[in-house]
Amino acid sequence: MDSRYMLEKSSVGTRVGGTDFNCRAGRSVLRDARVPTVERSGPMPAYTHGPVLYKFVMDASSAADVKSERSSSKGNGLSPGGRILHDMEKTGLGDQKDSGSSGILKRASPTHCPGINGQLPGGFMHLDISNPGKQAELASSFRAAQVQNVPPSERQSLSSSHIPVPRNRKPSGHADKEVMAATVLTSLSTSPLVLYPSSASTVPEPASRAWKEVLSASYSSSTSGNWSWDASDQSVPSTPSPPLSNDTNKSFLLSSQGDDVSEDATESTHFMFEDPIPRKRKNSMKVMFKCLWKNCEKVLSTSSGIQRHIRTVHLGRNNDSDYSDGEEDFYYSEIEVNMDSLTEGLSSLTPTSPTTAGPPPVFPPPLTDVPHSEHINMTGSQSHAPTLLSQSAPSTLCHIRTDHAYQATAPVSIPVGPELAGLDSGNGTGPGTGTGNGISVSWQSPPVIFKGVPGPVTHVRTVSIGEKRQPAANTHTTVNKNHALVTPPAKSTPGTRKPRGEAKKCRKVYGMEKRDMWCTACRWKKACQRFTD
DNA sequence: TGTGCCGGGGG
DNA sequence: CCCCCGGCACA
């Protein structure tokens, strides 16, 4: 998934509530409405500086309220979030035209509209859903419905800013289901509390709010293939939450404080994660168990849960085995958390970066089964990892970069490695393709081996020929070439010649005068078998 | 331009 | 097979 691509796509989303349609007159403001229904309840002032309630009315079962706290937009223009939004918009401007062909999701993007009601960039809420394709059809239907439902006064602006979506997409029930699921997850992922990076805990309110917005945007912009990961992300409650205002805080706490706190999160998490323990939380003091493993800030509500976590994740013991030697006890601590101040409590508990980036189990250094996580992490292009502008970039990577630069780097750098680089180039599933399955797929892909065959095979053939004259040398080369099969050269590309060796060949060593001293291959103008690389 | 070597052909 | 060479890609 190309970050730039995402950027372009996200730039053409739907404005929630159609508040800023006029802002982009002449440009495509409403490409398509990807989010089924994002309507704002209550009055609809052009721009609201106070809290705004967004409601996802996608389905009875998936309805979720997302409350976006917007406070003090004014004077917030200098906040990171504000600036980022601004940049995003600028970026989007140039790319508007090529953004219509495929499905980008819907985006409820607070458009920064200088001059209109004094609205500042920082005061908007981002609702990005990057689910290319899947939500496209939904968007179409939604748009149609939306147009019908909008009041005449609003309809005009809608239609004027509306840009038709390609009709080549065929709606399907299956797709709708996926969209629904995606939307549900999206609503979850939009929760600032869950997404908050630990670093933000120490950031002043304004800055942290901006962060929240950025993160929310990036989270919600994940592709369909990554939804599950988003959920898992939330399974790590250790993510510190920003000191939100109480009312907002409470509203979030009940629904999005990680797998041990959030029912929703648990539901979406336990099926893919190791901690299926259902947990209900009451609004009072609660004993929590925090994993003390290095770089793992996991906090669970039950001792058994944390023990299992440690046992399976850090101690590498089989999950289905209930055996416990008590060693886990050393790796977690019991903490008391006041639900009302859970946020702060968690923040203080996680001075270091929490392991919110992806499946926590795989990231901690002690573990060796990193590859499992990598296929997830690599979904996105690593190039945009650290970029805040990647608001609409694959969420997976964004998550990582947000909290763990060092962790993001590791998986990201993998494809660049000598061996892997070769692999990637071979199967065409490079990081940039954005297929949703990155690295691990690449590693498993067989083409790599085949790709290397032509060269080595040739050599082997020649070796057999030359063996008559230079047994020793040939034996040696044979071994080398076989080894090459296992680790093919990074640059070997099917159809092209193998890279010219650096070693001197017979011609150079002996010269034309002593041509009879050349190896057979050299004399025959074949690949030298005596001086191989 | 020299070199490495692939592809092809003659014997 | 053995031997040779045209021709291409690359440094």
Side-chain angles (χ1 to χ4, degrees):
Chain A
M1 190 72 66
D2 182 298
S3 64
R4 180 173 165 278
Y5 172 84
M6 293 300 294
L7 206 62
E8 292 173 6
K9 296 304 183 181
S10 66
S11 67
V12 295
T14 300
R15 307 298 168 217
V16 172
T19 54
D20 67 307
F21 287 124
N22 293 331
C23 190
R24 296 198 172 198
R27 288 186 285 123
S28 62
V29 174
L30 179 56
R31 274 295 168 149
D32 56 67
R34 305 296 166 149
V35 164
T37 317
V38 178
E39 35 181 63
R40 189 164 60 190
S41 63
M44 240 175 86
Y47 290 95
T48 306
H49 294 286
V52 176
L53 181 63
Y54 291 86
K55 184 171 187 174
F56 287 80
V57 189
M58 134 145 254
D59 184 80
S61 62
S62 65
D65 288 343
V66 178
K67 186 172 185 178
S68 167
E69 186 193 57
R70 297 259 100 112
S71 64
S72 66
S73 298
K74 289 188 175 182
N76 197 19
L78 294 178
S79 69
R83 186 171 61 250
I84 286 163
L85 291 177
H86 191 80
D87 291 345
M88 285 294 296
E89 168 145 15
K90 287 195 289 187
T91 303
L93 292 181
D95 294 324
Q96 291 272 342
K97 39 177 126 76
D98 60 332
S99 59
S101 59
S102 81
I104 284 314
L105 312 183
K106 121 218 200 186
R107 166 182 180 175
S109 165
T111 309
H112 156 56
C113 228
I116 293 189
N117 293 342
Q119 181 64 35
L120 294 177
F124 295 89
M125 174 180 183
H126 281 272
L127 290 177
D128 283 10
I129 301 177
S130 296
N131 191 357
K134 295 302 180 184
Q135 296 183 347
E137 44 270 26
L138 188 107
S140 304
S141 59
F142 164 63
R143 184 178 57 255
Q146 188 186 40
V147 171
Q148 290 178 349
N149 295 334
V150 230
S153 60
E154 246 183 77
R155 187 177 302 177
Q156 185 174 4
S157 59
L158 276 173
S159 58
S160 65
S161 58
H162 164 286
I163 289 180
V165 169
R167 297 285 181 183
N168 55 357
R169 290 182 180 279
K170 296 181 180 179
S172 65
H174 181 69
D176 286 346
K177 288 178 182 178
E178 291 189 20
V179 172
M180 195 199 322
T183 304
V184 173
L185 290 172
T186 299
S187 66
L188 293 175
S189 65
T190 344
S191 167
L193 264 179
V194 177
L195 307 176
Y196 227 76
S198 66
S199 58
S201 64
T202 59
V203 183
E205 178 68 11
S208 56
R209 197 176 302 282
W211 261 104
K212 175 180 68 182
E213 290 176 12
V214 172
L215 286 177
S216 296
S218 64
Y219 267 70
S220 58
S221 65
S222 58
T223 60
S224 61
N226 297 330
W227 288 110
S228 60
W229 201 57
D230 282 344
S232 68
D233 237 9
Q234 300 174 22
S235 68
V236 184
S238 60
T239 306
S241 305
L244 300 175
S245 61
N246 274 341
D247 54 343
T248 304
N249 199 6
K250 286 179 181 177
S251 68
F252 277 122
L253 276 177
L254 294 178
S255 63
S256 57
Q257 186 54 37
D259 71 340
D260 58 330
V261 179
S262 161
E263 281 184 51
D264 294 346
T266 301
E267 287 178 8
S268 59
T269 301
H270 78 265
F271 65 78
M272 71 168 289
F273 236 178
E274 82 280 6
D275 196 311
I277 303 171
R279 286 177 292 280
K280 305 282 183 178
R281 184 165 288 240
K282 294 181 181 180
N283 197 15
S284 61
M285 293 298 284
K286 170 98 179 174
V287 175
M288 305 290 290
F289 299 86
K290 178 174 179 291
C291 178
L292 297 178
W293 198 272
K294 185 180 178 182
N295 291 330
C296 179
E297 307 289 334
K298 194 171 185 72
V299 177
L300 296 178
S301 61
T302 64
S303 60
S304 61
I306 194 68
Q307 285 185 7
R308 189 201 318 241
H309 159 80
I310 292 166
R311 191 162 60 245
T312 61
V313 173
H314 299 307
L315 299 181
R317 285 173 195 161
N318 198 335
N319 190 19
D320 53 21
S321 168
D322 288 330
Y323 167 77
S324 169
D325 57 6
E327 188 178 353
E328 303 90 347
D329 294 345
F330 295 105
Y331 297 104
Y332 72 88
S333 66
E334 190 174 314
I335 59 175
E336 244 184 27
V337 179
N338 183 336
M339 286 308 294
D340 291 336
S341 59
L342 179 62
T343 296
E344 290 148 23
L346 288 176
S347 297
S348 63
L349 286 172
T350 56
T352 59
S353 58
T355 327
T356 37
V362 292
F363 269 121
L367 293 181
T368 55
D369 56 340
V370 173
H372 285 293
S373 67
E374 280 167 352
H375 78 278
I376 298 174
N377 296 333
M378 289 311 300
T379 300
S381 164
Q382 67 275 20
S383 60
H384 60 265
T387 307
L388 290 175
L389 287 177
S390 61
Q391 171 185 347
S392 51
S395 63
T396 53
L397 208 50
C398 294
H399 301 173
I400 297 174
R401 57 121 160 105
T402 309
D403 298 341
H404 312 273
Y406 68 96
Q407 288 178 341
T409 330
V412 162
S413 64
I414 287 175
V416 191
E419 323 84 29
L420 292 178
L423 300 182
D424 276 351
S425 64
N427 61 17
T429 350
T433 56
T435 57
N437 289 324
I439 288 303
S440 66
V441 173
S442 301
W443 291 357
Q444 298 171 356
S445 90
V448 171
I449 294 179
F450 296 143
K451 190 171 55 183
V453 168
V457 165
T458 301
H459 285 283
V460 170
R461 174 173 54 86
T462 3
V463 166
S464 64
I465 296 173
E467 239 164 15
K468 291 186 289 184
R469 298 178 76 169
Q470 289 133 5
N474 288 333
T475 302
H476 177 68
T477 53
T478 302
V479 173
N480 287 345
K481 290 304 174 181
N482 287 340
H483 180 68
L485 277 173
V486 179
T487 57
K491 283 186 65 179
S492 67
T493 310
T496 64
R497 293 189 175 195
K498 71 175 184 179
R500 178 181 297 187
E502 292 298 319
K504 286 188 174 184
K505 305 300 180 184
C506 294
R507 174 192 284 259
K508 278 191 176 181
V509 172
Y510 301 106
M512 291 298 290
E513 314 86 307
K514 300 179 181 179
R515 192 178 179 186
D516 56 343
M517 294 182 68
W518 295 6
C519 69
T520 310
C522 282
R523 276 186 287 120
W524 296 344
K525 293 176 72 173
K526 301 297 182 185
C528 178
Q529 292 302 313
R530 182 173 299 173
F531 306 100
T532 60
D533 297 321

